[in-house]
Amino acid sequence: MRTAPIFKLFLLFASFLTAFEACCLQAVSARTTSNVRRESAAIPERTRVLHSRNYFYVGGTYNTTVADAAAISSGQMYVEHLVPQFVTRKYPIVMIHGNGMTGTNFLNTPDGRPGWTDFFLNKGYELYIVDQPSRARSPWQQTIDGPQYMVDTVTVEQRFTATAKYNMWPKASLHTQWPGNGTRGDKIFDDFYRTIVPALSSNVEASQKFRPVGAALLDRIGPAIIMTHSQSGQNGWPLADDRPSLVKAIIAIEPVGPPFTNAIFPPIVPARPYGLTEVSMTFSPPIQSASDIETVVVSSSENYTCIQQASPPRKLVNLANIPVLLVTSETGYHTVYDDCIRDFLTDAGVPVDHVNLGDVGIHGNGHMMFMEENRFEIAEKVLHKWLEEKL
């Protein structure tokens, strides 16, 4: 008889908990829906795509270390392979990061939002994301590989994340799309900076190490689209030269340049003796060495000189049938000289489409555009649109 009131009290308490839980779930749901709406206003609805993931290595050479024939391997390249649930595109995309960076550049933004990998997986592309040799998961061997260097925080702020603050080139002040204020102490900047790793000091060595493993990757996976960024631009052109039948298109995001010389940032010294590369390319008429390429100064200003081949220019015959998309941000330092890169490619017989984002209504981006607020707008309106037209 005495248990009835207790049971009634228990039922009353249970009803209270149920009502409280429902209230809380509604509040959480409302907040979640609000966040999703804010995010989906800027990116496609399906951003996190069901996919499989594995990895493998290509290349590598055993190097004997001691008299008993023990050896270590060097020169191999890490490749991360992402496959969406539904592959709807004929060719995969090989994504190659820039200097001091790794393949994580393309996975997500520094503050954890979906990146270009999610975008292209959502579009049905199979992806191969690399860490360049002697970098990150592609090991640097101290007894074999050349010296490394590390990019400091001020350099990153000046060139990539807070360019408006330093205003080192004409359009730097227009940079608005980097998330956060772009300086040391800002959480997003700090999270980004901690992803940066030591890289080979020599661009010549970096190019020489990438060339055989890039070709080995294409030999393994077959025809592909090559996407390069910044320093890795110098790897895309030789890769197409070595495997012209396997490179179906090149997307060059502000590739290293300008032709034949450095620019903007001291020291302003000769570089890329084959035009856009540190390593030899196949020209017609043929050359025996880089010194066979005659050059002429087209224009010159403070910290920048545009140098082109003298007329008649030699042709990059193995790139003649490979479509190229050259993408330049509205505010990055490449705004100074990417026209010169375009003209070099055009003179060499390479079919290139050059898109300056500001000219197509996409404003405020800098060199690290794939990490910035409107990264999906760039991917949709420029990269994917171009691929749909060309392939």
Side-chain angles (χ1 to χ4, degrees):
M1 299 293 294
R2 295 173 61 184
T3 58
I6 296 175
F7 183 68
K8 290 180 179 179
L9 183 61
F10 173 76
L11 290 177
L12 182 63
F13 182 66
S15 298
F16 169 76
L17 287 178
T18 302
F20 180 76
E21 182 182 22
C23 177
C24 290
L25 285 173
Q26 287 177 356
V28 170
S29 176
R31 287 195 300 272
T32 302
T33 301
S34 177
N35 290 337
V36 169
R37 284 174 179 167
R38 284 197 298 271
E39 186 74 1
S40 65
I43 61 180
E45 291 181 8
R46 292 173 58 230
T47 55
R48 297 296 189 187
V49 181
L50 182 63
H51 65 276
S52 64
R53 173 188 175 274
N54 60 24
Y55 73 92
F56 57 90
Y57 281 79
V58 291
T61 303
Y62 279 119
N63 300 267
T64 302
T65 58
V66 290
D68 64 1
I72 60 175
S73 180
S74 67
Q76 63 266 36
M77 182 169 72
Y78 172 88
V79 183
E80 189 163 336
H81 183 203
L82 305 181
V83 184
Q85 183 181 16
F86 302 106
V87 176
T88 59
R89 305 294 171 174
K90 185 176 182 180
Y91 303 116
I93 302 175
V94 176
M95 308 176 92
I96 312 172
H97 60 82
N99 213 18
M101 306 295 162
T102 72
T104 60
N105 271 187
F106 303 108
L107 293 176
N108 51 256
T109 65
D111 52 342
R113 289 177 293 166
W116 274 6
T117 53
D118 290 283
F119 177 88
F120 286 104
L121 287 170
N122 188 23
K123 295 295 184 182
Y125 288 96
E126 192 174 356
L127 304 178
Y128 295 90
I129 308 166
V130 309
D131 286 353
Q132 291 189 50
S134 305
R135 184 104 53 97
R137 291 165 291 188
S138 302
W140 175 82
Q141 303 290 11
Q142 63 179 351
T143 59
I144 298 170
D145 297 329
Q148 298 175 302
Y149 81 104
M150 183 68 184
V151 181
D152 61 68
T153 56
V154 172
T155 300
V156 173
E157 291 179 11
Q158 290 175 336
R159 301 183 186 188
F160 307 145
T161 62
T163 63
K165 173 183 175 182
Y166 294 92
N167 204 25
M168 295 178 68
W169 55 87
K171 294 188 177 181
S173 62
L174 301 177
H175 188 209
T176 59
Q177 293 289 353
W178 180 262
N181 66 30
T183 61
R184 178 182 172 186
D186 176 79
K187 186 179 186 307
I188 296 175
F189 175 89
D190 294 343
D191 287 343
F192 169 58
Y193 185 76
R194 290 176 182 124
T195 70
I196 298 174
V197 299
L200 290 170
S201 299
S202 167
N203 277 327
V204 176
E205 182 182 9
S207 297
Q208 291 170 340
K209 287 184 179 298
F210 185 89
R211 191 166 198 167
V213 295
L217 174 59
L218 292 187
D219 290 342
R220 175 167 176 165
I221 69 174
I225 300 157
I226 306 301
M227 181 186 295
T228 65
H229 173 243
S230 196
Q231 170 259 339
S232 70
Q234 67 185 7
N235 298 330
W237 317 122
L239 183 54
D241 192 42
D242 293 343
R243 297 293 186 273
S245 65
L246 297 180
V247 175
K248 295 304 177 182
I250 297 174
I251 297 175
I253 309 295
E254 299 200 339
V256 64
F260 301 107
T261 184
N262 287 332
I264 311 301
F265 310 112
I268 310 298
V269 295
R272 296 169 295 282
Y274 297 90
L276 296 178
T277 67
E278 299 285 358
V279 294
S280 62
M281 297 285 289
T282 304
F283 283 92
S284 180
I287 61 171
Q288 299 301 314
S289 68
S291 62
D292 292 340
I293 302 174
E294 297 182 19
T295 61
V296 60
V297 173
V298 174
S299 63
S300 185
S301 59
E302 184 179 5
N303 292 332
Y304 163 59
T305 300
C306 180
I307 302 173
Q308 299 288 357
Q309 292 191 74
S311 184
R314 298 172 188 267
K315 304 301 182 182
L316 290 168
V317 289
N318 287 344
L319 277 66
N321 296 314
I322 300 174
V324 172
L325 174 64
L326 172 63
V327 181
T328 305
S329 66
E330 184 185 40
T331 81
Y333 58 88
H334 275 252
T335 56
V336 176
Y337 59 72
D338 272 4
D339 285 354
C340 191
I341 293 177
R342 176 202 63 209
D343 292 344
F344 175 86
L345 292 169
T346 299
D347 288 348
V350 181
V352 57
D353 295 310
H354 183 199
V355 175
N356 186 303
L357 297 182
D359 292 341
V360 294
I362 302 176
H363 300 293
N365 289 102
H367 190 57
M368 307 300 289
M369 63 184 74
F370 44 82
M371 292 184 174
E372 297 190 317
E373 296 283 3
N374 60 345
R375 63 205 176 280
F376 283 92
E377 183 181 14
I378 298 167
E380 180 71 58
K381 294 183 179 179
V382 180
L383 277 59
H384 179 61
K385 178 183 177 183
W386 183 83
L387 288 171
E388 290 269 79
E389 294 171 352
K390 297 298 179 180
L391 302 177

